[in-house]
PDB file of all heavy atoms in Angstrom:
ATOM      1  N   ILE A 109       3.118  -3.341   4.171  1.00 98.00           N
ATOM      2  CA  ILE A 109       3.606  -2.820   2.851  1.00 98.00           C
ATOM      3  C   ILE A 109       5.102  -2.850   2.750  1.00 98.00           C
ATOM      4  O   ILE A 109       5.472  -3.206   1.741  1.00 98.00           O
ATOM      5  CB  ILE A 109       2.961  -1.399   2.608  1.00 98.00           C
ATOM      6  CG1 ILE A 109       1.556  -1.414   2.622  1.00 98.00           C
ATOM      7  CG2 ILE A 109       3.717  -0.719   1.360  1.00 98.00           C
ATOM      8  CD1 ILE A 109       0.966   0.212   2.738  1.00 98.00           C
ATOM      9  N   GLU A 110       5.865  -2.576   3.748  1.00 98.00           N
ATOM     10  CA  GLU A 110       7.248  -2.650   3.724  1.00 98.00           C
ATOM     11  C   GLU A 110       7.691  -4.014   3.465  1.00 98.00           C
ATOM     12  O   GLU A 110       8.662  -4.237   2.741  1.00 98.00           O
ATOM     13  CB  GLU A 110       7.825  -1.929   5.053  1.00 98.00           C
ATOM     14  CG  GLU A 110       7.635  -0.421   5.064  1.00 98.00           C
ATOM     15  CD  GLU A 110       8.076   0.133   6.277  1.00 98.00           C
ATOM     16  OE1 GLU A 110       8.359  -0.664   7.372  1.00 98.00           O
ATOM     17  OE2 GLU A 110       8.304   1.334   6.399  1.00 98.00           O
ATOM     18  N   ARG A 111       7.105  -5.020   4.146  1.00 98.00           N
ATOM     19  CA  ARG A 111       7.523  -6.355   4.053  1.00 98.00           C
ATOM     20  C   ARG A 111       7.285  -6.769   2.503  1.00 98.00           C
ATOM     21  O   ARG A 111       8.084  -7.418   2.013  1.00 98.00           O
ATOM     22  CB  ARG A 111       6.659  -7.341   4.898  1.00 98.00           C
ATOM     23  CG  ARG A 111       6.897  -8.764   4.639  1.00 98.00           C
ATOM     24  CD  ARG A 111       6.281  -9.592   5.644  1.00 98.00           C
ATOM     25  NE  ARG A 111       6.339 -10.989   5.206  1.00 98.00           N
ATOM     26  CZ  ARG A 111       6.001 -12.041   5.997  1.00 98.00           C
ATOM     27  NH1 ARG A 111       5.294 -11.902   7.188  1.00 98.00           N
ATOM     28  NH2 ARG A 111       6.233 -13.298   5.519  1.00 98.00           N
ATOM     29  N   VAL A 112       6.078  -6.375   1.863  1.00 98.00           N
ATOM     30  CA  VAL A 112       5.819  -6.891   0.577  1.00 98.00           C
ATOM     31  C   VAL A 112       6.962  -6.025  -0.351  1.00 98.00           C
ATOM     32  O   VAL A 112       7.484  -6.691  -1.259  1.00 98.00           O
ATOM     33  CB  VAL A 112       4.464  -6.384   0.070  1.00 98.00           C
ATOM     34  CG1 VAL A 112       4.186  -6.793  -1.357  1.00 98.00           C
ATOM     35  CG2 VAL A 112       3.449  -7.244   0.958  1.00 98.00           C
ATOM     36  N   GLU A 113       7.191  -4.754  -0.166  1.00 98.00           N
ATOM     37  CA  GLU A 113       8.041  -4.099  -0.971  1.00 98.00           C
ATOM     38  C   GLU A 113       9.534  -4.819  -0.918  1.00 98.00           C
ATOM     39  O   GLU A 113      10.082  -4.792  -1.962  1.00 98.00           O
ATOM     40  CB  GLU A 113       8.139  -2.595  -0.599  1.00 98.00           C
ATOM     41  CG  GLU A 113       9.154  -1.936  -1.319  1.00 98.00           C
ATOM     42  CD  GLU A 113       9.455  -0.486  -0.736  1.00 98.00           C
ATOM     43  OE1 GLU A 113       8.769  -0.039   0.182  1.00 98.00           O
ATOM     44  OE2 GLU A 113      10.495   0.131  -1.192  1.00 98.00           O
ATOM     45  N   ALA A 114       9.952  -5.159   0.211  1.00 98.00           N
ATOM     46  CA  ALA A 114      11.315  -5.741   0.403  1.00 98.00           C
ATOM     47  C   ALA A 114      11.214  -7.008  -0.596  1.00 98.00           C
ATOM     48  O   ALA A 114      12.562  -7.267  -1.003  1.00 98.00           O
ATOM     49  CB  ALA A 114      11.476  -6.048   1.798  1.00 98.00           C
ATOM     50  N   GLU A 115      10.313  -7.809  -0.713  1.00 98.00           N
ATOM     51  CA  GLU A 115      10.283  -8.903  -1.557  1.00 98.00           C
ATOM     52  C   GLU A 115      10.038  -8.612  -2.948  1.00 98.00           C
ATOM     53  O   GLU A 115      10.597  -9.331  -3.873  1.00 98.00           O
ATOM     54  CB  GLU A 115       9.340  -9.982  -1.000  1.00 98.00           C
ATOM     55  CG  GLU A 115       9.606 -10.483   0.384  1.00 98.00           C
ATOM     56  CD  GLU A 115       8.756 -11.615   0.687  1.00 98.00           C
ATOM     57  OE1 GLU A 115       8.633 -12.612  -0.119  1.00 98.00           O
ATOM     58  OE2 GLU A 115       8.135 -11.565   1.804  1.00 98.00           O
ATOM     59  N   ASP A 116       9.203  -7.610  -3.253  1.00 98.00           N
ATOM     60  CA  ASP A 116       8.714  -7.430  -4.732  1.00 98.00           C
ATOM     61  C   ASP A 116       8.289  -5.894  -4.744  1.00 98.00           C
ATOM     62  O   ASP A 116       7.161  -5.663  -4.305  1.00 98.00           O
ATOM     63  CB  ASP A 116       7.698  -8.365  -5.028  1.00 98.00           C
ATOM     64  CG  ASP A 116       7.229  -8.244  -6.429  1.00 98.00           C
ATOM     65  OD1 ASP A 116       7.178  -7.113  -7.050  1.00 98.00           O
ATOM     66  OD2 ASP A 116       7.018  -9.297  -7.189  1.00 98.00           O
ATOM     67  N   PRO A 117       9.058  -5.099  -5.194  1.00 98.00           N
ATOM     68  CA  PRO A 117       8.759  -3.508  -5.239  1.00 98.00           C
ATOM     69  C   PRO A 117       7.544  -3.271  -5.949  1.00 98.00           C
ATOM     70  O   PRO A 117       6.761  -2.413  -5.602  1.00 98.00           O
ATOM     71  CB  PRO A 117       9.958  -2.877  -5.897  1.00 98.00           C
ATOM     72  CG  PRO A 117      11.139  -3.821  -5.689  1.00 98.00           C
ATOM     73  CD  PRO A 117      10.509  -5.202  -5.674  1.00 98.00           C
ATOM     74  N   TYR A 118       7.292  -3.974  -7.116  1.00 98.00           N
ATOM     75  CA  TYR A 118       6.038  -3.837  -7.804  1.00 98.00           C
ATOM     76  C   TYR A 118       4.821  -4.060  -6.999  1.00 98.00           C
ATOM     77  O   TYR A 118       3.831  -3.435  -6.950  1.00 98.00           O
ATOM     78  CB  TYR A 118       5.983  -4.549  -9.123  1.00 98.00           C
ATOM     79  CG  TYR A 118       4.923  -4.279 -10.150  1.00 98.00           C
ATOM     80  CD1 TYR A 118       5.084  -3.328 -11.097  1.00 98.00           C
ATOM     81  CD2 TYR A 118       3.671  -4.860 -10.005  1.00 98.00           C
ATOM     82  CE1 TYR A 118       4.055  -3.062 -11.974  1.00 98.00           C
ATOM     83  CE2 TYR A 118       2.561  -4.567 -10.934  1.00 98.00           C
ATOM     84  CZ  TYR A 118       2.822  -3.647 -11.901  1.00 98.00           C
ATOM     85  OH  TYR A 118       1.817  -3.336 -12.737  1.00 98.00           O
ATOM     86  N   ALA A 119       4.773  -5.255  -6.389  1.00 98.00           N
ATOM     87  CA  ALA A 119       3.727  -5.668  -5.484  1.00 98.00           C
ATOM     88  C   ALA A 119       3.643  -4.782  -4.324  1.00 98.00           C
ATOM     89  O   ALA A 119       2.507  -4.370  -3.921  1.00 98.00           O
ATOM     90  CB  ALA A 119       4.071  -7.152  -5.026  1.00 98.00           C
ATOM     91  N   GLY A 120       4.719  -4.261  -3.808  1.00 98.00           N
ATOM     92  CA  GLY A 120       4.627  -3.333  -2.736  1.00 98.00           C
ATOM     93  C   GLY A 120       3.963  -1.980  -3.142  1.00 98.00           C
ATOM     94  O   GLY A 120       3.230  -1.429  -2.365  1.00 98.00           O
ATOM     95  N   CYS A 121       4.170  -1.535  -4.351  1.00 98.00           N
ATOM     96  CA  CYS A 121       3.600  -0.351  -4.868  1.00 98.00           C
ATOM     97  C   CYS A 121       2.027  -0.600  -4.924  1.00 98.00           C
ATOM     98  O   CYS A 121       1.166   0.296  -4.599  1.00 98.00           O
ATOM     99  CB  CYS A 121       4.041   0.056  -6.217  1.00 98.00           C
ATOM    100  SG  CYS A 121       3.547   1.593  -6.753  1.00 98.00           S
ATOM    101  N   LEU A 122       1.646  -1.759  -5.353  1.00 98.00           N
ATOM    102  CA  LEU A 122       0.225  -1.989  -5.529  1.00 98.00           C
ATOM    103  C   LEU A 122      -0.508  -2.132  -4.119  1.00 98.00           C
ATOM    104  O   LEU A 122      -1.536  -1.541  -3.948  1.00 98.00           O
ATOM    105  CB  LEU A 122      -0.052  -3.479  -6.171  1.00 98.00           C
ATOM    106  CG  LEU A 122       0.109  -3.453  -7.693  1.00 98.00           C
ATOM    107  CD1 LEU A 122       0.042  -4.930  -8.036  1.00 98.00           C
ATOM    108  CD2 LEU A 122      -0.887  -2.595  -8.383  1.00 98.00           C
ATOM    109  N   CYS A 123       0.131  -2.682  -3.175  1.00 98.00           N
ATOM    110  CA  CYS A 123      -0.422  -2.739  -1.859  1.00 98.00           C
ATOM    111  C   CYS A 123      -0.348  -1.266  -1.268  1.00 98.00           C
ATOM    112  O   CYS A 123      -1.467  -0.964  -0.519  1.00 98.00           O
ATOM    113  CB  CYS A 123       0.490  -3.730  -0.967  1.00 98.00           C
ATOM    114  SG  CYS A 123       0.302  -5.375  -1.427  1.00 98.00           S
ATOM    115  N   SER A 124       0.572  -0.493  -1.515  1.00 98.00           N
ATOM    116  CA  SER A 124       0.555   0.976  -1.033  1.00 98.00           C
ATOM    117  C   SER A 124      -0.565   1.731  -1.686  1.00 98.00           C
ATOM    118  O   SER A 124      -1.281   2.360  -1.048  1.00 98.00           O
ATOM    119  CB  SER A 124       1.854   1.633  -1.353  1.00 98.00           C
ATOM    120  OG  SER A 124       1.811   2.894  -1.049  1.00 98.00           O
ATOM    121  N   MET A 125      -0.838   1.477  -2.942  1.00 98.00           N
ATOM    122  CA  MET A 125      -1.997   2.065  -3.603  1.00 98.00           C
ATOM    123  C   MET A 125      -3.304   1.688  -3.049  1.00 98.00           C
ATOM    124  O   MET A 125      -4.194   2.464  -2.827  1.00 98.00           O
ATOM    125  CB  MET A 125      -1.878   1.820  -5.074  1.00 98.00           C
ATOM    126  CG  MET A 125      -0.677   2.405  -5.839  1.00 98.00           C
ATOM    127  SD  MET A 125      -0.438   1.741  -7.496  1.00 98.00           S
ATOM    128  CE  MET A 125      -1.865   2.469  -8.343  1.00 98.00           C
ATOM    129  N   HIS A 126      -3.394   0.383  -2.672  1.00 98.00           N
ATOM    130  CA  HIS A 126      -4.581  -0.193  -2.200  1.00 98.00           C
ATOM    131  C   HIS A 126      -4.964   0.600  -0.791  1.00 98.00           C
ATOM    132  O   HIS A 126      -5.944   0.987  -0.622  1.00 98.00           O
ATOM    133  CB  HIS A 126      -4.337  -1.570  -2.032  1.00 98.00           C
ATOM    134  CG  HIS A 126      -5.593  -2.388  -1.485  1.00 98.00           C
ATOM    135  ND1 HIS A 126      -6.827  -2.390  -1.981  1.00 98.00           N
ATOM    136  CD2 HIS A 126      -5.669  -3.175  -0.322  1.00 98.00           C
ATOM    137  CE1 HIS A 126      -7.659  -3.066  -1.309  1.00 98.00           C
ATOM    138  NE2 HIS A 126      -7.088  -3.622  -0.252  1.00 98.00           N
ATOM    139  N   TYR A 127      -3.904   0.578  -0.024  1.00 98.00           N
ATOM    140  CA  TYR A 127      -4.206   1.076   1.376  1.00 98.00           C
ATOM    141  C   TYR A 127      -4.261   2.497   1.327  1.00 98.00           C
ATOM    142  O   TYR A 127      -5.091   3.156   2.157  1.00 98.00           O
ATOM    143  CB  TYR A 127      -3.048   0.655   2.295  1.00 98.00           C
ATOM    144  CG  TYR A 127      -3.372  -0.694   2.902  1.00 98.00           C
ATOM    145  CD1 TYR A 127      -2.606  -1.793   2.405  1.00 98.00           C
ATOM    146  CD2 TYR A 127      -4.236  -0.941   3.852  1.00 98.00           C
ATOM    147  CE1 TYR A 127      -2.659  -3.054   2.885  1.00 98.00           C
ATOM    148  CE2 TYR A 127      -4.495  -2.271   4.295  1.00 98.00           C
ATOM    149  CZ  TYR A 127      -3.784  -3.349   3.922  1.00 98.00           C
ATOM    150  OH  TYR A 127      -4.009  -4.537   4.374  1.00 98.00           O
ATOM    151  N   ALA A 128      -3.568   3.235   0.532  1.00 98.00           N
ATOM    152  CA  ALA A 128      -3.631   4.797   0.465  1.00 98.00           C
ATOM    153  C   ALA A 128      -5.116   5.099   0.080  1.00 98.00           C
ATOM    154  O   ALA A 128      -5.660   6.145   0.430  1.00 98.00           O
ATOM    155  CB  ALA A 128      -2.607   5.360  -0.414  1.00 98.00           C
ATOM    156  N   SER A 129      -5.745   4.249  -0.833  1.00 98.00           N
ATOM    157  CA  SER A 129      -7.068   4.555  -1.302  1.00 98.00           C
ATOM    158  C   SER A 129      -8.184   4.602  -0.178  1.00 98.00           C
ATOM    159  O   SER A 129      -9.227   5.228  -0.442  1.00 98.00           O
ATOM    160  CB  SER A 129      -7.419   3.618  -2.488  1.00 98.00           C
ATOM    161  OG  SER A 129      -7.805   2.346  -1.847  1.00 98.00           O
ATOM    162  N   PHE A 130      -7.780   3.910   0.962  1.00 97.00           N
ATOM    163  CA  PHE A 130      -8.860   3.896   1.958  1.00 97.00           C
ATOM    164  C   PHE A 130      -9.086   5.251   2.672  1.00 97.00           C
ATOM    165  O   PHE A 130      -9.965   5.405   3.282  1.00 97.00           O
ATOM    166  CB  PHE A 130      -8.349   2.899   3.094  1.00 97.00           C
ATOM    167  CG  PHE A 130      -8.221   1.472   2.702  1.00 97.00           C
ATOM    168  CD1 PHE A 130      -7.616   0.552   3.570  1.00 97.00           C
ATOM    169  CD2 PHE A 130      -8.705   1.060   1.538  1.00 97.00           C
ATOM    170  CE1 PHE A 130      -7.478  -0.721   3.239  1.00 97.00           C
ATOM    171  CE2 PHE A 130      -8.499  -0.298   1.129  1.00 97.00           C
ATOM    172  CZ  PHE A 130      -8.136  -1.301   2.079  1.00 97.00           C
ATOM    173  N   PHE A 131      -8.060   6.157   2.515  1.00 98.00           N
ATOM    174  CA  PHE A 131      -8.036   7.365   3.236  1.00 98.00           C
ATOM    175  C   PHE A 131      -8.148   8.623   2.520  1.00 98.00           C
ATOM    176  O   PHE A 131      -7.708   9.721   2.912  1.00 98.00           O
ATOM    177  CB  PHE A 131      -6.700   7.448   4.113  1.00 98.00           C
ATOM    178  CG  PHE A 131      -6.600   6.200   5.065  1.00 98.00           C
ATOM    179  CD1 PHE A 131      -5.736   5.217   4.878  1.00 98.00           C
ATOM    180  CD2 PHE A 131      -7.482   6.035   6.155  1.00 98.00           C
ATOM    181  CE1 PHE A 131      -5.679   4.128   5.654  1.00 98.00           C
ATOM    182  CE2 PHE A 131      -7.419   5.000   6.980  1.00 98.00           C
ATOM    183  CZ  PHE A 131      -6.521   3.991   6.737  1.00 98.00           C
ATOM    184  N   GLU A 132      -8.665   8.491   1.239  1.00 96.00           N
ATOM    185  CA  GLU A 132      -8.945   9.768   0.427  1.00 96.00           C
ATOM    186  C   GLU A 132      -9.948  10.449   1.088  1.00 96.00           C
ATOM    187  O   GLU A 132     -11.061  10.109   1.386  1.00 96.00           O
ATOM    188  CB  GLU A 132      -9.495   9.264  -1.010  1.00 96.00           C
ATOM    189  CG  GLU A 132      -8.260   8.506  -1.835  1.00 96.00           C
ATOM    190  CD  GLU A 132      -8.807   8.110  -3.156  1.00 96.00           C
ATOM    191  OE1 GLU A 132      -9.952   8.486  -3.431  1.00 96.00           O
ATOM    192  OE2 GLU A 132      -8.095   7.429  -3.782  1.00 96.00           O
ATOM    193  N   GLY A 133      -9.721  11.775   1.228  1.00 94.00           N
ATOM    194  CA  GLY A 133     -10.738  12.671   1.801  1.00 94.00           C
ATOM    195  C   GLY A 133     -10.895  12.604   3.294  1.00 94.00           C
ATOM    196  O   GLY A 133     -11.924  13.096   3.806  1.00 94.00           O
ATOM    197  N   VAL A 134     -10.126  11.838   4.095  1.00 94.00           N
ATOM    198  CA  VAL A 134     -10.256  11.721   5.464  1.00 94.00           C
ATOM    199  C   VAL A 134      -9.732  12.971   6.131  1.00 94.00           C
ATOM    200  O   VAL A 134      -8.927  13.700   5.609  1.00 94.00           O
ATOM    201  CB  VAL A 134      -9.536  10.510   6.048  1.00 94.00           C
ATOM    202  CG1 VAL A 134      -9.958   9.252   5.395  1.00 94.00           C
ATOM    203  CG2 VAL A 134      -8.029  10.637   5.825  1.00 94.00           C
ATOM    204  N   SER A 135     -10.210  13.187   7.444  1.00 96.00           N
ATOM    205  CA  SER A 135      -9.690  14.410   8.228  1.00 96.00           C
ATOM    206  C   SER A 135      -8.761  13.848   9.375  1.00 96.00           C
ATOM    207  O   SER A 135      -8.312  14.901   9.938  1.00 96.00           O
ATOM    208  CB  SER A 135     -10.903  15.065   8.892  1.00 96.00           C
ATOM    209  OG  SER A 135     -11.770  14.223   9.577  1.00 96.00           O
ATOM    210  N   ASP A 136      -8.650  12.776   9.698  1.00 97.00           N
ATOM    211  CA  ASP A 136      -7.878  12.295  10.864  1.00 97.00           C
ATOM    212  C   ASP A 136      -6.297  12.479  10.459  1.00 97.00           C
ATOM    213  O   ASP A 136      -5.855  12.194   9.344  1.00 97.00           O
ATOM    214  CB  ASP A 136      -7.963  10.885  11.111  1.00 97.00           C
ATOM    215  CG  ASP A 136      -7.213  10.327  12.294  1.00 97.00           C
ATOM    216  OD1 ASP A 136      -6.043  10.015  12.108  1.00 97.00           O
ATOM    217  OD2 ASP A 136      -7.699  10.354  13.396  1.00 97.00           O
TER     218      ASP A 136
END
């Protein structure tokens, strides 16, 4: 995510949203 953000902040935000969605409601 950091690599993508460094090149394109909008794309970095999308990738961050994508990965954060994997962990909704997790307990780890």
Side-chain angles (χ1 to χ4, degrees):
I109 294 167
E110 288 175 348
R111 175 174 173 178
V112 177
E113 180 192 343
E115 295 189 50
D116 188 319
Y118 190 93
C121 188
L122 284 175
C123 291
S124 175
M125 293 167 68
H126 179 58
Y127 277 105
S129 71
F130 297 171
F131 301 108
E132 294 177 4
V134 299
S135 57
D136 183 273

